[in-house]
Amino acid sequence: MIRTWHLGDRHQSLVLACRNAGLPEVVYWGPALPESENLQVLAKAAVMDVTGGMVDENAPISLNPEASRTFPGQTGLSARDAAGKVLAPRFSFQSEERAGNELSLVYSDESCGLSLRFDLSLTEATSLFKLKAQLQSQEDIVVDWLAAPVLPVPAYADEMIEFSGRWCSEFLTNRLPFAPGARVRDNRTGRTDHAHFPGLIVCNPTTSNTAGEAFAFHYGWSGGHRMVAEELADGRRQVQFGHAFASLPTGTLFATAPLYATYSADGLNGAAVRFQRHVRSQIVKDARTPRPVHYNCWEAVYFDHKLDELKAIADRAAELGAERFVLDDGWFGKRDDDTSSLGDWTIDPSKYPDGLTPLIDHITSLGMEFGIWYEPEMVNEDSGLYRAHPDWILGPEDQTRGRQQLVLDMAREDVRKYLFDQMSAVLGNHAVGYVKWDHNRVLPVVDAPQTEGVYALIDQLRRAFPHVEFESCSSGGGRIDFGILERTQRVWLSDSNDALERQRIQHDAALFLPASVTGSHVGPRHCHTSGRVIGMSMRAWTAAQRHLGFEMDPRELTDDEARMLKAVTDWWKANRDWLMQADILRLDTIDPAIIAEIQVAETGDRFAAFAALTRPSDQILPHPIRLTGLDPDAVYKITLTNRDETPGLSRGAPLLKYQDLTVSGRYLMSHGLTLPWRFPETICVIEGQRLPN
């Protein structure tokens, strides 16, 4: 007997088959199938041959490949009973529930006392699959590994794009060939981490931003995770995601985080747009609209808080267009550097003798919202909290320190209660509209309950203070994923405010993240993390491609810099309503020195494109920039928004240098735009308006 199920929409289809009551396997994942497709035939057609040197039947790449069926690769479950005996269940079908594109399947093995449930859904508004697995045991067991529902990928998609990085260089993409064996990445840092963003894209060598097929994955979990991309000896391939190996506690109930996945026939952009839309419409809750222009004082004052200076900085930030002022690290305890006071979340009377109210009143009188920095999960040994509760520390006493701090055990209810009470005393007694939630070190042990505890505390604070927005920061982009975004409205993408580095980081992060949640700031003239000096135009327009903010001492600006920043900020405010809901489409450029993207409005009637020249080009004159995502039969009016920045060495007469251009979408996507010559480390900003028929 074969049971079959089909989850699909106009973009893609996922077909499952269950043979003889065994675990279901994916027998088709790809372009949308016609409603008339015979699923029984597909299930039978998926059976592969056997030959010499093989067992007599190929073990399926089921949603949880089983060792008991002689599966030759990474199995979906690794578990032991209380005595240490390895469990090898053989699951059989028990029940199903189906409602539209939502499907739940339950399987069990009575001899092992185990039940395995799969929850599968396709969000039709965004064409993104959400897949979860849950294991129930009648007795306490140890689970080293439980995969989210496992998906195969086809042999013709023989490359993968995975993500690595480091502090100040997040979302590095690595394009690797599939090869026999397993590519395993086990992130045991206890957070999403700069070096281990939980994403993967499987594609072809010819897949580009704008064309080709792609199978994209994201594991929505903020703790350590594990990824397996494996090619079996018989040529079949599977992708597994789950919590980091051996990070689950002993118990009777185990669940994965959601695995989000999608198939795109429209290149990397097709998958990216679905992830972006899903974050905006399904993941992030209660984000402030319009998105306010952000100011953060960290790179202006660091720990040196002086009330009069902060007021003067706020005055200048407001003049430049800021609408939110965030007081960063240094306002609490005796926090004059990073060696003390984490955990003592009371206002420092030496810096704020009358509390925070005088500063908050000044900021709100300027029409700005007040925000404040916390690092709740951490503690310094030089703190009242540590002296009172050394038993609240996660990990051994002799562990290696990180940034002069230890980690609180967030799985403990008493720890969460203390933090909730401390934070509530500030949030409940002051006009606070925003919390920057930081996390500045890896964990001493990999521990899933730690992440669950963080989720519980943020959820409790969100319920108590629904008017407060939260930002996820972890030394920049160390904790960015859909799990934390279910609880926050913004992520701090990187501690690097270097506009050149930001161009690359933003470009690659857009494979998963929309502009509305991606914080990007105009940093100091002299970048504190790279040492580079970059012009204001490049800094301001780079930040304007995402959720715009400032992070410098605005009093350092020259008159020309201030005028440029104010002009870009005004432009962003005038366009933010549609920009923050736009699709970010990465552009394929002939010139490797250029990073370019187009942001297309939901209505399709307008767009903004950005082409940043990050280094000198190899050729003399710029190649045309081909756009994407437009209506080929529509006519667009094209404006070079910052044409007044064209340098004197541009001595020719390209049309956009002097006047607007009216052309078809087909021309823009096939031939592209010819732009004026410009210096490296500058950017061209192009606006397009679709004209009525």
Side-chain angles (χ1 to χ4, degrees), residues 652-670:
L655 187 61
L656 272 177
K657 183 176 171 181
Y658 298 104
Q659 67 181 65
D660 294 345
L661 176 66
T662 302
V663 288
S664 69
R666 194 177 307 279
Y667 174 87
L668 293 170
M669 293 189 291
S670 59

Side-chain angles (χ1 to χ4, degrees), residues 331-644:
W331 58 268
F332 56 93
K334 298 178 180 177
R335 182 77 164 173
D336 296 321
D337 56 33
D338 63 4
T339 64
S340 78
S341 300
L342 285 178
D344 298 342
W345 300 109
T346 55
I347 299 161
D348 183 351
S350 67
K351 295 176 182 176
Y352 299 96
D354 298 312
L356 292 175
T357 300
L359 176 60
I360 295 173
D361 286 349
H362 183 77
I363 287 166
T364 55
S365 74
L366 296 169
M368 289 193 290
E369 179 181 72
F370 177 76
I372 195 165
W373 180 94
Y374 278 96
E375 192 172 4
E377 298 151 76
M378 304 297 165
V379 64
N380 291 121
E381 288 167 276
D382 182 8
S383 69
L385 176 61
Y386 180 79
R387 286 184 283 271
H389 290 287
D391 56 314
W392 284 5
I393 301 307
L394 181 70
E397 185 178 345
D398 62 350
Q399 66 183 264
T400 302
R401 273 55 175 166
R403 204 173 181 251
Q404 293 84 49
Q405 62 197 50
L406 297 164
V407 185
L408 294 171
D409 186 350
M410 298 296 292
R412 295 180 59 136
E413 188 175 349
D414 50 1
V415 170
R416 298 198 303 272
K417 182 181 185 305
Y418 168 82
L419 292 171
F420 178 81
D421 291 345
Q422 290 278 296
M423 296 178 72
S424 294
V426 175
L427 300 182
N429 293 308
H430 299 84
V432 178
Y434 191 82
V435 168
K436 178 182 177 182
W437 185 300
D438 214 339
H439 179 285
N440 277 309
R441 62 155 290 179
V442 301
L443 302 191
V445 295
V446 59
D447 190 46
Q450 178 77 4
T451 300
E452 298 288 356
V454 173
Y455 286 172
L457 178 57
I458 299 177
D459 290 345
Q460 185 182 11
L461 287 164
R462 289 289 311 277
R463 289 191 298 270
F465 304 100
H467 63 284
V468 176
E469 279 199 355
F470 285 77
E471 173 187 287
S472 173
C473 174
S474 185
S475 299
R479 185 159 63 187
I480 295 176
D481 56 82
F482 289 9
I484 202 69
L485 277 167
E486 286 186 328
R487 296 158 174 88
T488 56
Q489 289 82 19
R490 192 179 197 256
V491 295
W492 183 225
L493 188 60
S494 176
D495 275 346
S496 174
N497 277 327
D498 181 303
L500 297 179
E501 293 176 349
R502 274 276 171 165
Q503 279 289 331
R504 201 278 308 155
I505 297 169
Q506 292 177 177
H507 189 68
D508 291 333
L511 289 168
F512 297 91
L513 300 178
S516 57
V517 304
T518 306
S520 189
H521 294 176
V522 181
R525 182 184 308 117
H526 184 270
C527 181
H528 295 187
T529 56
S530 70
R532 269 195 288 248
V533 175
I534 299 173
M536 177 53 78
S537 173
M538 184 68 172
R539 284 185 281 155
W541 283 116
T542 296
Q545 291 176 240
R546 299 296 184 267
H547 183 193
L548 174 66
F550 318 148
E551 190 164 345
M552 88 297 267
D553 188 338
R555 298 171 301 176
E556 80 171 18
L557 300 178
T558 66
D559 290 345
D560 286 344
E561 287 174 329
R563 276 193 293 271
M564 172 65 72
L565 180 54
K566 181 68 165 61
V568 174
T569 301
D570 289 345
W571 177 90
W572 189 84
K573 285 182 174 180
N575 291 279
R576 63 181 161 187
D577 286 347
W578 71 267
L579 273 175
M580 294 299 98
Q581 298 298 316
D583 296 331
I584 304 171
L585 303 172
R586 298 170 7 136
L587 297 179
D588 294 319
T589 57
I590 299 171
D591 186 348
I594 291 177
I595 295 175
E597 69 182 31
I598 182 172
Q599 300 186 15
V600 182
E602 277 186 306
T603 56
D605 64 338
R606 62 194 307 178
F607 67 82
F610 303 85
L613 184 62
T614 60
R615 62 169 176 80
S617 293
D618 295 333
Q619 72 282 340
I620 295 175
L621 298 177
H623 294 298
I625 301 291
R626 300 172 74 189
L627 305 186
T628 192
L630 306 180
D631 181 347
D633 298 320
V635 175
Y636 295 84
K637 178 184 176 183
I638 307 298
T639 301
L640 181 59
T641 305
N642 60 340
R643 62 166 56 105
D644 59 340

Side-chain angles (χ1 to χ4, degrees), residues 104-125:
S104 293
L105 301 172
V106 178
Y107 288 75
S108 66
D109 182 332
E110 294 299 329
S111 65
C112 292
L114 298 178
S115 174
L116 185 59
R117 177 187 177 101
F118 303 107
D119 291 307
L120 318 171
S121 64
L122 176 63
T123 304
E124 295 185 48

